[in-house]
Amino acid sequence: MKILAVNGSPRGAGGNTEVLLQAFLRGAQEAGAETEVIYLKDKDIKHCLGCFTCWTKTPGVCVHKDDMSAIMEKMKGQDVMVYAFPLYIFTFPGLFKDFMDRLLPFAQPIIEKRGDHFIHPPRWGKGLRRSVLISNAGFSETHHFDGLKKTFQLLNDGPDTEVLGEICCAAGPLLKIPELTDEVKWYPDAAYKAGIEVVNEGRISSETQEILDRSLAPDSESYANMVNSYWAGLGIEKIEADEFVAKADESPTDKALSPPSSVETIHDLIAAMPLAFKSEAAGDLEAVFQFDITDEDPGDYYLTIADGICTAYEGTHPDPNATIRTPADVWLKISRGQMNGAAAFMTGKYKVTGNLQLLMKMEKLFSRPS
Ligand SMILES: Cc1cc2nc3c(=O)[nH]c(=O)nc-3n(C[C@H](O)[C@H](O)[C@H](O)COP(=O)(O)O)c2cc1C
């Protein structure tokens, strides 16, 4: 049996999900399965554009050229898929959601009736349709997984699809506390047994599933006390929401971008703008320009100008004077003098909100990159 696991934790092999995944895979290997793990955090997986090209012009093939095509090729040859990730906001982390969205080429656009409801028939992949769900959550109450389990059931709701079992571990951060290893060992042990059962019996037995459905910390009051003492040990206490806003305003946490060695991308261009800044032209100007870069190379950046210094940041400023919403290639062309900025604005190639006059000054504030 070939089992391919996808770990969708942004913490990858260093996370709590990995403890459960490895226990499950050890069991599966013990029972003779061939296993492999893909760590999504190390892969280049772009967001689905929603263009439906994979259903129309190039059936089964996405417009993006990134790591997803190799992953999908690999998925085609599996008997069982294991989807493992931490619970984020009651569901998948964005990393895993991007991966799931990008599986659209595996479905056909047609909708047809299977049983009592309609589905998109699959284009490929028996293994895609036999899967194990592995997750862990910071809270100790198992109902945190209700939405995720429902989503997973809907995803696999067809006569030819099967969820072979769910390993959803509440209070998952306890798994990696060295002092508690013996206390919590019963859970990874059950995950290990689940691995053996999936290979030998084709699914997780009801007895093992019953164990896996229990919380690592059934006494939520004690767990909350423990978590809060941990934070207190780090000097983190509860504060009122308004206090937080004041603190956040005082200390912006975005990191200034370092100047790049060459300008290839929009990220490079914005990081290089402080070098092209003409402080004598700025005088005593104080301004924040926010860039909302769309399309192929999306991102959020901003430039601050104060005391004759321009600094570039990645992120979103809470109170910019002007926001420029532009595709990356349009701004790159304008900055290289290959496109007229004013004409591009008039024809809607980019959009500006906030202080337009300030934006018009930009031309004078920066020299063109050579
Ligand atoms: C953005 C974010 C959202 C989260 N949402 C939830 C949640 O809705 N419920 C919950 O119990 N834990 C939540 N957590 C906690 C994680 O599930 C928990 O820390 C988990 O152990 C992380 O697993 P990992 O180490 O494999 O990444 C969240 C964590 C983050 C960073």
Side-chain angles (χ1 to χ4, degrees):
M1 178 185 279
K2 283 179 84 175
I3 300 181
L4 180 64
V6 172
N7 182 331
S9 167
R11 284 150 43 95
N16 301 319
T17 306
E18 182 75 355
V19 177
L20 304 171
L21 177 57
Q22 287 304 331
F24 175 85
L25 293 179
R26 266 199 311 281
Q29 287 157 8
E30 189 89 350
E34 200 184 304
T35 69
E36 186 179 340
V37 185
I38 292 173
Y39 295 94
L40 295 184
K41 86 172 200 17
D42 300 329
K43 300 292 177 192
D44 175 23
I45 299 175
K46 299 192 170 59
H47 306 296
C48 171
L49 296 174
C51 64
F52 292 108
T53 304
C54 64
W55 278 4
T56 53
K57 281 194 210 129
T58 55
V61 180
C62 180
V63 285
H64 282 313
K65 301 286 168 265
D66 58 13
D67 290 335
M68 204 53 204
S69 52
I71 295 175
M72 288 170 78
E73 258 332 287
K74 189 159 271 180
M75 287 173 76
K76 286 185 201 171
Q78 306 301 317
D79 298 301
V80 172
M81 287 299 303
V82 178
Y83 298 113
F85 47 83
L87 192 74
Y88 273 21
I89 321 293
F90 300 101
T91 180
F92 321 118
L95 189 60
F96 187 81
K97 183 64 166 61
D98 275 341
F99 160 77
M100 292 299 276
D101 289 349
R102 291 287 306 283
L103 294 180
L104 196 69
F106 274 153
Q108 299 180 48
I110 311 306
I111 54 172
E112 67 178 19
K113 201 160 192 186
R114 291 274 175 99
D116 62 354
H117 61 281
F118 287 83
I119 61 152
H120 289 297
R123 209 184 285 276
W124 290 290
K126 63 183 165 62
L128 292 174
R129 286 172 274 149
R130 297 184 68 224
S131 55
V132 174
L133 166 65
I134 297 184
S135 189
N136 91 95
F139 280 88
S140 60
E141 298 124 303
T142 53
H143 73 252
H144 275 253
F145 294 110
D146 288 355
L148 173 67
K149 286 183 177 175
K150 181 72 187 167
T151 304
F152 215 70
Q153 278 157 16
L154 289 169
L155 273 169
N156 292 282
D157 194 8
D160 51 1
T161 58
E162 205 180 355
V163 181
L164 308 177
E166 294 160 341
I167 302 177
C168 290
C169 178
L174 299 182
L175 289 166
K176 289 198 69 171
I177 296 180
E179 295 79 9
L180 293 181
T181 309
D182 290 341
E183 291 293 318
V184 301
K185 193 174 161 295
W186 59 271
Y187 201 99
D189 283 352
Y192 170 83
K193 195 152 177 262
I196 297 176
E197 288 171 356
V198 164
V199 178
N200 289 341
E201 297 159 34
R203 60 174 305 112
I204 298 177
S205 71
S206 52
E207 298 79 47
T208 307
Q209 186 63 64
E210 189 273 319
I211 298 170
L212 292 167
D213 289 343
R214 295 181 204 159
S215 172
L216 266 191
D219 180 351
S220 294
E221 295 285 347
S222 308
Y223 181 71
N225 284 338
M226 192 173 96
V227 170
N228 292 336
S229 320
Y230 168 78
W231 292 124
L234 296 178
I236 299 168
E237 304 278 356
K238 187 183 171 224
I239 57 169
E240 296 310 319
D242 290 350
E243 249 181 274
F244 171 71
V245 170
K247 285 193 178 179
D249 283 351
E250 276 163 29
S251 51
T253 49
D254 291 332
K255 235 177 110 213
L257 295 173
S258 315
S261 47
S262 64
V263 175
E264 308 291 340
T265 63
I266 191 74
H267 180 283
D268 299 339
L269 176 72
I270 292 172
M273 283 181 81
L275 298 178
F277 180 64
K278 297 190 275 186
S279 60
E280 70 288 357
D284 59 359
L285 176 71
E286 282 201 12
V288 177
F289 294 100
Q290 177 73 49
F291 289 87
D292 176 359
I293 307 296
T294 58
D295 293 359
E296 288 298 302
D297 192 6
D300 293 306
Y301 305 91
Y302 60 92
L303 295 173
T304 58
I305 294 171
D307 302 320
I309 296 170
C310 172
T311 315
Y313 296 90
E314 185 153 18
T316 310
H317 192 278
D319 192 22
N321 301 96
T323 299
I324 300 136
R325 184 171 164 77
T326 176
D329 69 328
V330 167
W331 204 257
L332 280 162
K333 280 186 186 144
I334 292 172
S335 72
R336 288 172 183 148
Q338 295 162 348
M339 190 184 274
N340 180 293
F345 175 67
M346 299 305 284
T347 51
K349 292 204 165 52
Y350 68 95
K351 294 198 165 40
V352 178
T353 49
N355 189 335
L356 190 59
Q357 279 164 328
L358 197 58
L359 183 88
M360 295 303 170
K361 274 196 182 166
M362 242 187 167
E363 186 96 358
K364 291 198 177 72
L365 292 174
F366 297 91
S367 51
R368 288 201 192 292
S370 46

